[in-house]
């Protein structure tokens, strides 16, 4: 992944102001630095013939405000302010496409575990971000391993909230996979059933039907997951949303793929060195991936309601 220094971005929105990139600083005793008490989003803005287009922005905002709820965090800015700030960041920096990272966190005041009077800080950054797992990954699929780290249950930390602290689990699983030569991990839940990837939801194809774990399996309610379910059903596929998938079913699947705002639709070609299907991108994965990119890059007029233009 390119470093920020190599990117042509110089402005961040922080607590209502546009600040120079290097001035978007926080104190080392910030609550979120110590206890992971931040919530965030990851959305994409795609390049289209009508200019940059934010994909499913209201849904990302809904999830941001919902993520704040279990932590009783009050975001001091309205949806309209966050939207306008994001649009302005894209316009000012003349970005044709980008990744969007809104973040809210408990700031600096005192350092008990209780956030007490710590203010809620809010920031938005945007930057160019290509394919998360590489161009080759989209076409040929990736090798993944089942992580030895389990996903915590949603009764331990809410998994439908996108909380910064929660991503230490994702990091452990992802880095374990990369250390062992795999591109990414699959994480099982506490029961030992398939949950998701460190930053992706997972779909399994068997006998022409799609299966994906539901929220009760301790997953994030992915917006790309919802997009793919919608597009697959429109194409006439049966989608079992809320499936319980055992570890063994991964190996015998006809096809497997990940979804995510960053990962988009990424085929999985091998799990723990066992070939999935014939070990390449499967036909249904390819059809859904093509449909996904046709929609997000606006090669079709369908689902115009999913787009917001700066
Ligand atoms: N699961 C986890 C743990 C994630 O971090 C993400 C990325 N936000 C996803 C699933 C996919 O969600 P989305 O499609 O909304 O990006």
């Amino acid at each position: 992944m390119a470093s920020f220094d190599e990117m042509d971005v110089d402005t961040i929105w922080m607590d209502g102001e546009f600040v120079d990139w290097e001035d978007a600083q926080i104190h080392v005793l910030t609550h979120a630095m110590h206890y992971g008490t931040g919530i965030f989003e990851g959305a994409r803005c795609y390049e289209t013939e009508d200019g940059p287009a934010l994909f499913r922005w209201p849904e990302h905002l809904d999830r941001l405000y919902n993520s704040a709820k279990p932590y009783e965090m009050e975001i001091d800015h309205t949806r309209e302010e966050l939207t306008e700030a994001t649009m302005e960041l894209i316009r000012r920096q003349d970005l044709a496409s980008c990744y969007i990272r809104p973040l809210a966190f408990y700031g600096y005041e005192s350092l008990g575990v209780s956030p007490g009077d710590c203010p809620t800080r809010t920031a938005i950054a945007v930057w160019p971000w290509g394919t998360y797992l590489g161009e080759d990954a989209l076409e040929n699929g990736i090798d993944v391993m089942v992580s030895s780290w389990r996903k915590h249950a949603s009764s331990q930390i809410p998994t439908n909230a996108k909380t910064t602290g929660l991503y230490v689990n994702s990091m452990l699983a992802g880095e374990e996979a990369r250390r062992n030569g795999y591109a990414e991990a699959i994480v099982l839940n506490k029961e030992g059933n398939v949950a998701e990837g460190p930053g992706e939801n997972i779909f399994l194809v068997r006998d022409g039907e799609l299966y994906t774990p539901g929220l009760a399996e301790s997953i994030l309610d992915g917006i790309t997951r919802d997009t793919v379910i919608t597009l697959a059903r429109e194409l006439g596929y049966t989608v079992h949303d809320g499936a319980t998938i055992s570890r063994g079913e991964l190996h015998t699947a006809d096809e497997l793929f990940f979804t995510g705002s960053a990962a988009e639709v990424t085929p999985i070609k091998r799990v723990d060195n066992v070939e999935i299907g014939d070990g390449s991108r499967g036909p249904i994965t390819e059809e859904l991936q093509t449909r996904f990119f046709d929609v997000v890059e606006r090669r079709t007029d369908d689902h115009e309601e999913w787009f917001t233009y700066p």
Side-chain angles (χ1 to χ4, degrees):
M1 198 182 301
S3 76
F4 289 123
D5 289 344
E6 294 158 12
M7 294 176 193
D8 200 14
V9 276
D10 56 18
T11 309
I12 285 179
W13 179 90
M14 214 170 169
D15 303 319
E17 312 280 337
F18 292 96
V19 297
D20 288 343
W21 192 273
E22 54 277 13
D23 294 334
Q25 306 280 358
I26 55 162
H27 196 277
V28 72
L29 297 181
T30 294
H31 196 273
M33 282 289 292
H34 297 253
Y35 306 118
T37 51
I39 51 110
F40 68 106
E41 266 309 310
R44 272 192 194 262
C45 171
Y46 284 94
E47 182 170 5
T48 75
E49 273 186 2
D50 298 322
L54 276 71
F55 183 55
R56 304 199 70 176
W57 179 245
E59 289 86 341
H60 282 282
L61 280 182
D62 285 346
R63 195 170 62 185
L64 183 77
Y65 285 95
N66 281 336
S67 292
K69 283 188 183 167
Y71 306 104
E72 298 181 295
M73 186 186 286
E74 294 285 342
I75 299 176
D76 298 326
H77 302 275
T78 62
R79 297 169 69 93
E80 291 68 33
E81 282 176 274
L82 298 189
T83 302
E84 183 43 36
T86 304
M87 301 298 193
E88 182 60 18
L89 284 172
I90 294 169
R91 288 191 295 255
R92 272 192 195 200
Q93 299 176 103
D94 208 14
L95 293 165
S97 66
C98 61
Y99 183 77
I100 306 162
R101 169 55 56 84
L103 169 73
F105 57 97
Y106 280 120
Y108 170 87
E109 176 73 30
S110 59
L111 211 47
V113 170
S114 165
D117 291 332
C118 291
T120 302
R121 309 282 308 271
T122 314
I124 303 172
V126 303
W127 63 85
W129 201 357
T131 319
Y132 184 51
L133 297 162
E135 275 299 327
D136 179 67
L138 290 181
E139 204 172 315
N140 297 314
I142 54 169
D143 269 300
V144 305
M145 72 175 274
V146 175
S147 179
S148 66
W149 294 101
R150 293 282 174 91
K151 179 84 192 244
H152 45 267
S154 59
S155 57
Q156 295 172 307
I157 308 180
T159 50
N160 61 339
K162 217 169 146 54
T163 311
T164 58
L166 191 145
Y167 281 80
V168 292
N169 180 264
S170 293
M171 198 198 95
L172 286 168
E175 291 311 293
E176 178 189 32
R178 283 179 276 279
R179 245 189 340 265
N180 284 285
Y182 299 88
E184 190 57 301
I186 291 174
V187 190
L188 306 180
N189 62 18
K190 257 185 102 216
E191 290 70 39
N193 296 318
V194 175
E196 58 184 349
E200 305 89 0
N201 292 113
I202 190 166
F203 284 76
L204 177 150
V205 179
R206 189 171 57 219
D207 297 332
E209 299 189 356
L210 288 116
Y211 296 79
T212 193
L215 293 190
E217 306 293 327
S218 301
I219 64 161
L220 184 74
D221 193 2
I223 292 163
T224 322
R225 174 186 183 278
D226 179 72
T227 303
V228 166
I229 291 172
T230 304
L231 297 177
R233 286 185 175 149
E234 286 171 2
L235 289 168
Y237 288 106
T238 299
V239 183
H240 303 271
D241 176 1
T244 300
I245 301 174
S246 64
R247 178 173 181 170
E249 287 172 278
L250 291 172
H251 296 150
T252 56
D254 297 330
E255 303 178 30
L256 288 174
F257 61 89
F258 277 141
T259 62
S261 300
E264 299 170 307
V265 178
T266 300
I268 297 171
K269 64 177 174 192
R270 273 191 289 265
V271 176
D272 294 332
N273 291 324
V274 176
E275 273 193 3
I276 306 307
D278 67 2
S280 64
R281 173 174 59 185
I284 294 178
T285 306
E286 184 172 357
E287 184 185 358
L288 292 171
Q289 196 189 43
T290 303
R291 177 76 180 136
F292 175 82
F293 282 109
D294 281 349
V295 169
V296 296
E297 288 164 0
R298 304 311 292 134
R299 284 187 288 275
T300 160
D301 292 335
D302 300 344
H303 290 294
E304 186 60 23
E305 76 281 4
W306 282 344
F307 296 88
T308 311
Y309 297 87

